[in-house]
Amino acid sequence: MSAGAGVAARSCGRGLRVARLRGGVRWTVPAVIVAAEYLGLSLLVDLPMAGPAMTLVRPLRMLGPVLFGAAAAGWLIARGESRGGTGAAPLPPLPAWRPWPTLALQAGAYAVTAATAVALLRPGAPPPSPAAMAVFIACAAATGLLALRAAAPLGWLLAALARRWLAPLVALSVGLLAWRAASAAEGLWGALTAVTLHAAGALASAAGAEIQVDPARSVIRASGVRIEIAPICSGVDGIGLVVLFQAVWIALARERIRWERALVLLPLGAAAALAGNVLRVAALTLLAAAGRPDLAFGGFHSKLGWAFFIAIALGSVAIAERSRWLARPADAEGSAAAGVPPGAGAYAAPFVAMLATALVTSMLAGDGLDRLYGLRVAAGAGVLLAVRRRLPVAVLAPALLPIAAGLAVGAAWVALAGGDGTAVSEGLARMGPAERAAWISARVAGACLLVPVVEELAFRGFLLPWLVSPGFRDVPPRAWSWPAALGSSLAFGAIHSQWLLGAAAGLAFAGVRRWRGRLGDAVLAHAVANAAIAAAVLGAGRWGLWGG
């Protein structure tokens, strides 16, 4: 190579690095601004726990894990695609970046949002009305859209979404899984209460605060202030979120890392999330002991956990990306494309439709009974019909093993699962005969006919073979690896309130699929299990089995 060619190559390389840096800054600046504004609002106020506006407040509480999980997954998927390329449609060219006018408007919108939040949600304020909360939500949504507009025009974003809809779809599915994982992780709070409270109390005492710890009531008392840690604001859901985020990164990066070693991130991430929760509880205890209960209970108690989650999840992945111990040797890197394969959309879309609809309808279930369950069935069935031509032809050939496995899973679920079914039974009692019959019919049809197909497509049709090899459609039907089976089963368990039983059921369905290499066998086993559960609900009044 001549000297001139070398200079030109170096110049081209510097130009490429500068372009990538500018592109990263373009998206990072709005993201950092939104995160800072979110945390600022969190320290000022907190959402009410009761009142006439709970129909709107409940969705806001549930959307947090979904949006954080989806954003984190989207970032990981984008990194994977930029590293390996997936053959996806090219994005439209971005216009020149001129963010300052939009950012000025965004700052003004945030000021209005913050002022509205303080007026409505300050300590001692009367419970906000639904109309007032709707105004606050509209202001917050406008603030977020303006931040997004600062990175790129909305028209460009819509065009990019139309060309690369798969990545947002998968990111949304991970966000929904994060929501369910967070809900499942809240069940661990009872087991971790004593450890967390004693550790937080010890830290607060070491800092000079006079406190009393009452683990029986999950309470810390400081300067006459009673601090009760409830599951909804315990921060323990950060364990589920951090582990899920790290698992997604391991799955996406497994062709260029030693994924067996990377599994050590999962227990380390869980431990870091638990430690972060201890620090959070200790910090709010110190604030209360210092005579600032308004700040401690304003938003600090429920939102600082998200800051720890962001720092732990992003920090652990950033460190792992640069770890030589985790990296594969250059000559051993896989040649498969990074990111999510295009064919995954058809497998995931019906599941995402049902889970997203469940998120919306459960927000409106004020009495503990989702009266709009039929919408889940309609959404999943509609999307399934729309993508059916992109899916393999199902083969349902009844056999003893799938039926026996399904009966075993159903029996285990009936014996070990199911909470208090009072909310469901009382909600049904308030319905008229026609509405009650329609709800039960939709529940049975969804559980026994649609859910087995939708969930098996997502978890045993796509996720399991994709974890075996990135080119999941080329994987032999009976291909198997224990990490793939366990990973897909744990993800399956995360969408169930009884996550451990769900993971065990997922492993059983994975084994059934491997038996003859037929996804239809897993669908049959799943349907039989759900039918056994439905029989226990309708025959023995075990309504708690339908509580989720």
Side-chain angles (χ1 to χ4, degrees):
M1 179 184 295
S2 66
V7 171
R10 288 193 293 273
S11 177
C12 181
R14 283 195 298 271
L16 184 59
R17 287 193 294 272
V18 169
R20 287 178 176 174
L21 178 61
R22 288 177 178 173
V25 171
R26 180 176 193 145
W27 298 100
T28 301
V29 167
V32 170
I33 289 174
V34 169
E37 291 172 347
Y38 174 82
L39 292 176
L41 278 179
S42 300
L43 295 177
L44 285 174
V45 297
D46 193 19
L47 295 174
M49 299 294 292
M54 286 307 294
T55 302
L56 295 176
V57 171
R58 197 175 294 110
L60 292 182
R61 292 191 181 280
M62 298 174 71
L63 281 174
V66 174
L67 294 179
F68 273 99
W75 176 72
L76 286 177
I77 292 169
R79 282 178 60 83
E81 290 182 344
S82 66
R83 282 177 174 271
T86 58
L91 294 175
L94 268 170
W97 188 39
R98 297 184 178 90
W100 308 118
T102 305
L103 287 178
L105 288 175
Q106 201 270 348
Y110 176 70
V112 173
T113 302
T116 305
V118 172
L120 294 178
L121 305 174
R122 69 184 185 278
S129 67
M133 279 301 301
V135 170
F136 168 69
I137 294 171
C139 291
T143 302
L145 285 175
L146 284 171
L148 195 59
R149 173 62 182 81
L154 296 181
W156 184 92
L157 293 169
L158 291 175
L161 180 62
R163 294 190 187 187
R164 292 192 180 180
W165 57 271
L166 175 60
L169 176 69
V170 175
L172 176 61
S173 67
V174 174
L176 292 167
L177 279 173
W179 160 56
R180 295 307 300 257
S183 300
E186 285 182 359
L188 297 173
W189 178 236
L192 300 175
T193 298
V195 173
T196 303
L197 290 180
H198 283 298
L203 286 177
S205 297
E210 295 184 2
I211 58 119
Q212 291 180 332
V213 177
D214 184 356
R217 295 180 175 84
S218 300
V219 165
I220 298 178
R221 292 181 176 85
S223 299
V225 178
R226 185 175 182 270
I227 303 169
E228 180 178 357
I229 311 300
I232 193 172
C233 57
S234 66
V236 73
D237 51 6
I239 295 176
L241 294 169
V242 168
V243 169
L244 178 64
F245 187 93
Q246 292 172 332
V248 170
W249 175 76
I250 292 171
L252 290 171
R254 68 188 186 279
E255 292 299 306
R256 54 187 174 81
I257 64 171
R258 298 181 186 272
W259 63 263
E260 301 91 341
R261 295 181 177 182
L263 293 177
V264 75
L265 290 175
L266 303 183
L268 290 177
L274 180 59
N277 190 47
V278 169
L279 290 174
R280 183 188 63 86
V281 175
L284 68 89
T285 301
L286 289 172
L287 284 173
R292 295 300 307 273
D294 56 335
L295 182 56
F297 297 115
F300 193 90
H301 76 290
S302 61
K303 301 300 192 303
L304 189 60
W306 288 110
F308 280 120
F309 160 65
I310 295 171
I312 294 168
L314 295 182
S316 62
V317 168
I319 294 171
E321 285 276 6
R322 293 162 175 78
S323 170
R324 294 183 178 180
W325 182 68
L326 293 179
R328 286 184 185 273
D331 59 353
E333 291 184 354
S335 59
V340 181
Y347 288 80
F351 166 74
V352 173
M354 285 199 71
L355 202 53
T357 306
L359 173 63
V360 175
T361 58
S362 61
M363 294 172 184
L364 306 176
D367 58 359
L369 174 67
D370 186 357
R371 292 172 176 261
L372 301 176
Y373 182 88
L375 291 180
R376 302 190 202 181
V377 179
V383 174
L384 184 62
L385 287 174
V387 301
R388 68 187 185 281
R389 298 183 185 279
R390 304 180 187 180
L391 297 170
V393 177
V395 178
L396 287 176
L400 180 60
L401 180 63
I403 294 174
L407 290 174
V409 169
W413 206 279
V414 170
L416 302 175
D420 185 6
T422 303
V424 177
S425 59
E426 291 180 350
L428 289 173
R430 288 190 291 269
M431 294 181 180
E435 184 184 5
R436 185 186 308 117
W439 188 89
I440 292 176
S441 298
R443 197 65 162 86
V444 172
C448 300
L449 300 178
L450 184 66
V451 168
V453 176
V454 167
E455 292 185 352
E456 291 309 310
L457 279 172
F459 290 95
R460 259 67 64 181
F462 163 65
L463 186 57
L464 173 61
W466 179 66
L467 290 176
V468 172
S469 175
F472 78 102
R473 282 185 161 173
D474 299 325
V475 173
R478 299 183 68 181
W480 176 278
S481 74
W482 277 107
L486 290 173
S488 60
S489 299
L490 288 172
F492 180 71
I495 67 171
H496 295 83
S497 56
Q498 301 286 339
W499 64 272
L500 189 57
L501 278 175
L507 196 58
F509 299 151
V512 169
R513 181 189 185 278
R514 188 192 184 202
W515 174 53
R516 293 193 297 185
R518 293 181 178 179
L519 184 61
D521 287 340
V523 172
L524 176 60
H526 198 151
V528 169
N530 285 3
I533 295 170
V537 171
L538 300 178
R542 295 282 305 280
W543 298 107
L545 295 170
W546 275 0

